[in-house]
Amino acid sequence: MSLPSSVSRTSTILLFSLTIFISSTLLFSIQPMFAKLILPNFGGAPQVWNTCMMFYQLILLSGYVCAHLLSKISHLKVRLYMQVTLVLLPLLMLPVSTIYTENAEHSVSPMIPLLTLLSLSVGLPFFILSMLSPLLQKWFSYSHFEDAQDPYFLYAASNFGSFFGLLSYPLIIEPWLTLEQQHQLWAQSYYLLVALIALCSFIVLKFSSKEPLDSISIPTNPGSPPTVKQYGKWLLLAFIPSSMMLGVSTHITTELFPIPLLWILPLSLYLLTMVLSFARHKIIPQHWLINLAPGMILLVLLLLTTKTVSPVWLIFPIHLLMLFVISMIFHSKLFELRPSATYLTNFYISLAVGGALGGIFNAIISPAIFNSILEYPITLILASLFLPQRRHVVEVFASLLRRILSGLLPVIFMVITIITLEALLRYGIISTHSMQTMGKYLIIVLPFFLCYLLINKRFSFSISITLCFFLASHATSSDSILHRERSFYGNHIISENTSGSHRMLHHGITMHGIQNSNTKLAHIPGAYYHPSGPAGQIFIYFNDKPSNIGVIGLGIGSLPTYLTDVQTLTFFEIDPTVIRIAENTDYFSFISKARERGVTVNIIEGDARLTMNKEENQSYDLLVVDAFTSGTIPMHLITQQAIQLYSDKIKDNGLIMFNISNHYLDFTHILCNQGNLYALNCLSRSDLIITQSDREEGKSASQWLILTQNDGLSLALAENGWDTIAPTSTPVWSDDYSNIFDALRWKL
């Protein structure tokens, strides 16, 4: 079948590339846009994004399966009419909006209502968009151009569109457009896509005759059907980068840099590797990456083992570089193993299955079977086992036994070192400080260096890094972990310091509370709530006054220790795991002791924006917003609508107090500008100097902010260390608009 003279090869390639690019841009721009739209109902936890990613990967798989089934229809016109009709269906749902069935607070697990919400709201448009890339590549394969026998280069256009759509959201779309404007732009772009697809289908019909497709759909050299072994390789090569991308996202947003939408960076890098791997001309030599990969894996495992999180400007790029290197290797291998165009949809289905399995492993399986974030190091170890052999490698050991023994050598060295140091400590030959200093190098660095010597022996290398990682992680813990538990909202660790003087609750890098183990000092709140800090100053002001206090965020429940039997305190907490921990007297006693003194302490489970809305107006003397997801306040708790809600709930001279302690984000002017809309005075106090006696009592540096109409109290606070903050030109944040760059401190 010859191509009509009116349609050139170049214009056809440009048309198909542009259509695929726009479809992928729409596909991946809707992910952060809709994630931002639904975060107010699900607490802003990293697991929300992991669940969304799992949903997107499953729908992507469904779209690929649909494309595969449609490609089996023999008559071309029937097939095209069906495909174009499917593309028209999302027009009935535009612009995209949320369709709620129930709130997350009514479910045992928020995952079920979240998946239901995603399915009803964006399931159909995402499904249609996900099937377009393989379909359009299949359409192009009917053109009988020379390129038609290998249309996988169009997959690079697809991934570049995905990369552009994802990265443009925080850099271009979010800072300049409200959510409503974003929805309208997305809908208008979809109309353009429909027109381009109609044009593509018209050109495809020009390629064909009125006869059934059988005469044009089979290439001259279709190749052999993929074997079970090939399918297995495709699945594995797609699974590892997918799981690693989610693992890196979770790690950097909880342990390194807890900033909203930061997960866009790992996903963007993941997509960039797809673009580069499926391009016709390779920019980065594959053997460079293969030689670099073992050292990168070893370095990241060493960072995870030692819990090294600073300096962030150095550690953060290391994790991203490792993700880039591993994804490039495995995606390039996928490109090498691609089948002929006849089995194009089979190939993409396998990629989608592997990606979806990665999402399921990180979003469902790992939280269910691990009480800590182990999916990241596990995927690293798995990658080390399936890395391609390095060039110029030394010949591997002949027998499996010798490989295992060589892999055990670093571990044997580590075990002997641990036993020796413990013996020296027991007999007083070395101090505890010397034990910790020497242990860091002898127990971790040297064994990991021995692992590096095995990088040419892939199996031995994988065994050694696996054993070294888990053994070193256990042997070098500076705190005694009493309890560890994962929930949908985070990874919670209860630990005791080495001296046994304090117990702490951590979520990622953020400490959510500390209590002195000494019964004489156990009543003194620590961390951000110490009596000499800003929070203590305000609560001492309310001391013995009949008052009703609301607190968003429970932690370990430190604040009731300030109250008496004439006061009531109500916590609003979204995570049932945190509630169980705070009320468990085996770990913390602030709440139980307050109740024994007659203080009324209530705990309401659910998202504060939803549950507080049911409370009576003007019922609180003080509202405290102290809810953290790892290291930052969920965005929906500090928008204009949130401030209006808090303003409605406090009495005329009441206070709204925010804990804005954060290394990377400064919410001072954002909150003050929003408070100014409701004629609220704004004051802030930073308490950053911690004395030795403060440290012994568990005090942490903190920064707090107050909004109030109480002019007398504002004046008194200004005379006692609080700074009065004037409104600025920073745009007001709302549920419809926010720009994270307004809050960045711009220093690491």
Side-chain angles (χ1 to χ4, degrees), residues 75-87:
H75 200 283
L76 178 59
K77 284 189 176 180
V78 173
R79 182 193 304 184
L80 289 177
Y81 291 151
M82 289 184 63
Q83 292 165 353
V84 173
T85 300
L86 287 174
V87 171

Side-chain angles (χ1 to χ4, degrees), residues 14-23 136 193 196-197 200:
L14 288 176
L15 173 63
F16 275 79
S17 298
L18 177 62
T19 306
I20 290 175
F21 174 83
I22 292 177
S23 69
L136 288 166
L193 176 64
L196 289 173
I197 290 174
C200 287

